[in-house]
Amino acid sequence: MFRRSIFIFMMLILFLAGCSNETDKNALKIPDSSDSTQSIEPEKNPSNIQTPSGSDQNEPSSEIQSPPDSNQSEPQTSLTDEETLMKPPGRFAGSNYDEQKVKEAVDQLPNDLTADQYTEELLLLLAEDYRSYITTFKEYDTEVKVDIERPNGNITLPASRKLHISILLDASGSMKAQINGKSKMDSAKEAIQIFADKLPENAEVSLRVYGHKGTGSQKDKQVSCNSTEEIFHGQGDQTNQMKTALQGVKPAGWTPIANALESVKQDINPETTDSVVYVVSDGIETCGGNPVQIAKELNQSKVKTVVNIIGFDVDNEGQKLLRQVASSGGGEFTSVNNDESLKNYLNKAYIKLLGEWKTWQIKGEGEANTQVIRKQGAINTTEMDMQILANKEYDNLLAALRVLETKYGNDIPHGEIWMQVTNRKNFAWNYARDTGRRLYDEVTKNGNQVYDDYKNEGDKNIEDLENKQNN
């Protein structure tokens, strides 16, 4: 019995010794793990900027993984800085900012994230909405467009504008009558030549006579009333050739004003953009036509034509009827009673045109300046508002970072986080500044070009008019 007790006692000692040895083996793992942790922890330098470790302890825990549809679903490195700013705002951006709620949310973050992960988590909370500013910059139209209608009869036309001027000269028998020792016909020819020499150099000019065939007798009425002929067609710089064409015109028959106006339709180039008719006549329609209706048709045609009537020594009844023609044609009737008044009328047309050009120039320059100032103002406002928002976001992010520092101290890479937050602010701020300046300069350049276009074209035409007026 005693020997059996000793055997049991020895077996018990061996069993306890085995358990103790297993415990010692397990205990050896604890200091090894502790030593490993200490060996990978970065040394804190004076700036408190840590170098991210490659150990598993620096990876985000499963508790803070973002959902698949969050902004963390794509690595930030795959986005440009501009694309990053175009991401949706954080939960507490703008008017949603609540300091207490932000603190509570930041408190939920663990102490084992990388700097990139901390920055991303803070942006999910506090990133401001820059999308409207960036979209405004990207889609901003820097073009300056000014379209002030040019005066009729402009001296120099751009390629896109084509002016046609028709001069209709009455060659009926009554034009033989003399005023101050000179026939109406000679006075009209002289005035027309002076007028034509002042026409736009690149305008299309047509000179047509009517009533120049037959006689004033009844038997020749049909021949005379059917007579209308274009005796010159050319550019404004070729009007010196009119003198030769006019020499052969002699007063002859009846007065087919309606027929002459109807013929103007075939003289106008379809590409014409502006058309003006000057009818010089000493009497009313005598061929039974309806010049009022034809003038109206011209004025309402695809190529809108303004019909002006110059009544040369016309009686009161004739003036009344000719006024109706001018009114229907959208023009004006002017009564002249001698060669000087005829010349004066045509000269006044150029004085008026000179004033119209100056007005056109001033309006164009003014509108260009107005558009530039308005566009520059909008750019400046967008730039300033985006910079203010970048500063606000920066302040909020730093406040959140201080919450993390207070809670975890040097356990978080706050130096790197601070650098990333600062870089984001600097990019947003500089993006607004640089983009704003670029667009501002483009608007300024485009505005100056439009301004110069109006100034140069206006100066040239005003000078041209003044020179021709004084010659």
Side-chain angles (χ1 to χ4, degrees):
M1 184 70 180
F2 175 74
R3 291 176 62 184
R4 184 177 178 183
S5 298
I6 293 174
F7 176 76
I8 294 173
F9 177 75
M10 292 298 292
M11 290 297 293
L12 179 61
I13 292 173
L14 290 173
F15 175 77
L16 292 174
C19 291
S20 174
N21 186 53
E22 184 67 22
T23 303
D24 290 340
K25 289 181 181 179
N26 289 335
L28 290 175
K29 292 183 179 180
I30 296 174
D32 287 346
S33 176
S34 176
D35 292 343
S36 174
T37 302
Q38 292 173 355
S39 66
I40 64 170
E41 183 177 354
E43 180 180 356
K44 308 299 190 297
N45 57 32
S47 64
N48 289 329
I49 298 179
Q50 300 180 2
T51 302
S53 170
S55 74
D56 292 341
Q57 288 184 331
N58 283 323
E59 293 298 321
S61 68
S62 60
E63 295 177 354
I64 54 89
Q65 292 296 315
S66 301
D69 60 346
S70 75
N71 291 333
Q72 289 181 300
S73 60
E74 291 187 13
Q76 187 168 344
T77 55
S78 67
L79 301 176
T80 65
D81 289 329
E82 187 177 82
E83 289 171 337
T84 300
L85 293 179
M86 285 293 286
K87 293 172 70 173
R91 278 193 293 151
F92 300 110
S95 60
N96 291 329
Y97 182 78
D98 186 309
E99 184 177 1
Q100 183 59 35
K101 289 183 179 179
V102 171
K103 184 177 183 302
E104 292 172 359
V106 173
D107 277 338
Q108 301 301 313
L109 298 177
N111 69 338
D112 58 354
L113 302 185
T114 65
D116 288 344
Q117 290 169 333
Y118 275 121
T119 300
E120 186 67 16
E121 289 294 335
L122 294 181
L123 290 177
L124 287 173
L125 298 174
L126 297 166
E128 293 292 347
D129 193 353
Y130 297 104
R131 292 174 296 181
S132 64
Y133 302 108
I134 294 177
T135 300
T136 296
F137 280 140
K138 282 186 172 182
E139 298 178 355
Y140 201 81
D141 181 9
T142 61
E143 185 177 2
V144 176
K145 303 175 184 177
V146 179
D147 187 16
I148 307 296
E149 185 176 357
R150 290 168 172 80
N152 287 328
N154 42 334
I155 293 301
T156 301
L157 295 165
S160 60
R161 314 249 344 148
K162 297 184 181 298
L163 172 67
H164 180 95
I165 293 180
S166 296
I167 303 171
L168 305 184
L169 175 59
D170 182 359
S172 62
S174 58
M175 290 290 286
K176 297 176 183 177
Q178 294 192 350
I179 300 177
N180 296 331
K182 184 187 295 186
S183 71
K184 295 180 183 179
M185 176 58 73
D186 288 342
S187 295
K189 286 181 180 180
E190 184 179 337
I192 287 173
Q193 186 65 56
I194 294 173
F195 175 69
D197 289 341
K198 295 182 178 182
L199 292 178
E201 294 178 355
N202 59 339
E204 187 178 22
V205 183
S206 170
L207 173 60
R208 179 175 287 275
V209 295
Y210 57 93
H212 61 299
K213 294 184 179 180
T215 65
S217 65
Q218 190 67 36
K219 66 180 181 61
D220 288 335
K221 181 176 181 179
Q222 184 174 357
V223 173
S224 184
C225 287
N226 290 335
S227 64
T228 176
E229 180 182 354
E230 185 182 45
I231 62 174
F232 172 84
H233 194 122
Q235 298 297 111
D237 58 357
Q238 301 172 321
T239 55
N240 60 321
Q241 301 172 17
M242 277 189 181
K243 188 172 183 179
T244 302
L246 284 167
Q247 285 178 350
V249 178
K250 305 296 181 183
W254 299 66
T255 311
I257 297 177
N259 189 17
L261 287 172
E262 181 70 35
S263 299
V264 168
K265 296 177 182 179
Q266 68 191 41
D267 300 336
I268 300 175
N269 189 317
E271 296 181 358
T272 296
T273 57
D274 302 277
S275 179
V276 183
V277 176
Y278 292 93
V279 180
V280 180
S281 179
D282 73 337
I284 62 173
E285 168 78 34
T286 60
C287 291
N290 188 349
V292 173
Q293 178 61 33
I294 303 302
K296 183 177 180 180
E297 292 174 3
L298 281 170
N299 190 243
Q300 296 179 352
S301 64
K302 182 178 180 180
V303 179
K304 185 177 180 179
T305 301
V306 176
V307 179
N308 299 300
I309 306 293
I310 305 172
F312 195 7
D313 193 33
V314 180
D315 59 28
N316 291 336
E317 185 62 26
Q319 289 185 29
K320 181 179 178 180
L321 295 174
L322 291 176
R323 286 182 190 277
Q324 294 178 13
V325 178
S327 178
S328 296
E332 62 179 19
F333 170 82
T334 302
S335 177
V336 296
N337 52 24
N338 55 54
D339 58 343
E340 285 302 318
S341 59
L342 178 57
K343 293 174 185 176
N344 289 338
Y345 165 75
L346 295 175
N347 194 49
K348 286 179 181 178
Y350 276 84
I351 295 175
K352 179 182 178 183
L353 181 57
L354 183 62
E356 290 175 349
W357 265 112
K358 289 180 178 178
T359 300
W360 175 86
Q361 183 186 47
I362 292 172
K363 284 184 177 179
E365 293 171 348
E367 178 61 25
N369 283 336
T370 298
Q371 285 192 32
V372 168
I373 292 172
R374 183 170 62 247
K375 285 177 176 286
Q376 289 175 339
I379 292 170
N380 286 339
T381 298
T382 303
E383 175 186 341
M384 183 174 63
D385 288 349
M386 185 172 175
Q387 290 173 336
I388 291 174
L389 193 63
N391 289 337
K392 175 185 176 183
E393 177 190 85
Y394 181 65
D395 291 341
N396 291 341
L397 288 170
L398 290 186
L401 179 56
R402 284 193 292 271
V403 173
L404 282 173
E405 292 174 339
T406 300
K407 183 174 183 180
Y408 295 125
N410 290 335
D411 289 342
I412 63 168
H414 46 80
E416 293 179 58
I417 300 171
W418 175 85
M419 183 64 70
Q420 292 182 13
V421 168
T422 301
N423 288 342
R424 175 181 170 87
K425 187 265 288 190
N426 289 340
F427 175 78
W429 204 94
N430 292 336
Y431 173 87
R433 179 198 62 194
D434 296 342
T435 308
R437 286 180 181 177
R438 175 177 59 80
L439 294 174
Y440 187 99
D441 290 344
E442 288 180 14
V443 167
T444 302
K445 179 181 177 181
N446 294 337
N448 287 342
Q449 183 61 58
V450 173
Y451 181 95
D452 290 343
D453 288 345
Y454 272 85
K455 184 179 186 306
N456 294 337
E457 185 176 350
D459 286 347
K460 184 180 186 305
N461 287 291
I462 290 169
E463 181 182 1
D464 200 354
L465 274 169
E466 289 175 340
N467 291 337
K468 290 188 174 184
Q469 181 184 349
N470 294 329
N471 291 337

